[in-house]
Amino acid sequence: MPTINVQLFAGRTHEQKRQFVEAVTRVTCETLNCSAESVDIILTDVTKDNWASGGALWSDKK
């Protein structure tokens, strides 16, 4: 039962998320030889003012 957690910047459409989870589920099943029903994917939308890299908020980057 793989559970995959994905954090991404907010703003992706519902359709983009749907396509993403379908693709990740398919590849996970092919790689781990498991059923699609056993794959859980948790998407967490994060705003750029709540994400930092290299000591700087993404919302401050140009």
Side-chain angles (χ1 to χ4, degrees):
M1 166 192 76
T3 300
I4 302 165
N5 288 282
V6 180
Q7 295 84 30
L8 57 149
F9 287 141
R12 288 354 187 265
T13 67
H14 188 75
E15 183 58 30
Q16 287 173 313
K17 291 177 184 181
R18 177 183 288 117
Q19 290 177 13
F20 177 77
V21 299
E22 287 173 356
V24 170
T25 299
R26 180 178 38 77
V27 172
T28 300
C29 292
E30 291 170 1
T31 305
L32 300 180
N33 193 28
C34 63
S35 69
E37 292 75 22
S38 70
V39 178
D40 290 322
I41 301 173
I42 301 167
L43 302 177
T44 304
D45 286 334
V46 181
T47 60
K48 289 185 178 184
D49 61 333
N50 288 321
W51 194 312
S53 296
L57 292 170
W58 274 91
S59 58
D60 292 337
K61 296 182 180 194
K62 303 214 172 356

